[in-house]
Amino acid sequence: MATKLNRKALEHARGLIKKGKVQRDVRDDWSEHAPSADDENSFIDKHGFDEFAKWHLGIDNEKSEGTKGSVSFPFGDLKKVHRCAIISLESRAAQHDHDDIRKAAKDLLEEIDEDQGAS
């Protein structure tokens, strides 16, 4: 299986959660909250592809490096972690047997929910 857990992205997500940069939305919100292709392109132009890749828990080293096709399982809108994105990607990762990504998503959800309980 070519898609693997992007550990840099996982650490990025954890850092954002610790800083409170989380949108606590519900499961079905991701289709409306996901960044558009134009938003993604603008972000890449401004910050570079490596920063863009940090917003995706999946990385495929068999795809052309530095292309959108080489990253998958986005968890935020390029500003905040979205709870709905993590719920969505956990489900998709499980469907496609990406157990490491599914487990990372589950752990991130727990961190978000724990953080919310602490506030």
Side-chain angles (χ1 to χ4, degrees):
M1 208 172 307
T3 302
K4 302 284 185 210
L5 176 63
N6 182 351
R7 297 200 179 278
K8 288 181 183 177
L10 179 58
E11 291 309 311
H12 180 61
R14 285 187 168 137
L16 290 166
I17 292 167
K18 283 186 174 120
K19 292 177 185 171
K21 294 185 183 266
V22 177
Q23 182 69 40
R24 289 179 175 86
D25 38 23
V26 295
R27 174 184 297 270
D28 297 329
D29 287 345
W30 183 234
S31 59
E32 292 176 27
H33 293 183
S36 68
D38 286 343
D39 291 339
E40 292 176 341
N41 292 337
S42 293
F43 184 90
I44 292 168
D45 288 344
K46 187 172 183 181
H47 302 284
F49 189 82
D50 287 346
E51 287 300 310
F52 177 73
K54 286 183 189 176
W55 288 92
H56 298 79
L57 286 183
I59 193 156
D60 185 343
N61 293 323
E62 293 180 7
K63 304 278 182 168
S64 296
E65 190 175 332
T67 64
K68 287 183 184 179
S70 68
V71 294
S72 56
F73 299 104
F75 60 80
D77 63 1
L78 309 173
K79 296 177 194 96
K80 290 183 174 182
V81 174
H82 279 249
R83 190 174 187 279
C84 62
I86 295 174
I87 292 169
S88 175
L89 79 83
E90 180 186 18
S91 175
R92 281 189 306 119
Q95 289 171 347
H96 297 284
D97 297 321
H98 297 297
D99 292 334
D100 53 346
I101 296 171
R102 180 202 51 78
K103 182 179 181 331
K106 183 176 184 287
D107 292 347
L108 289 173
L109 280 174
E110 288 175 4
E111 289 176 37
I112 289 170
D113 293 343
E114 284 173 13
D115 183 56
Q116 187 172 11
S119 35

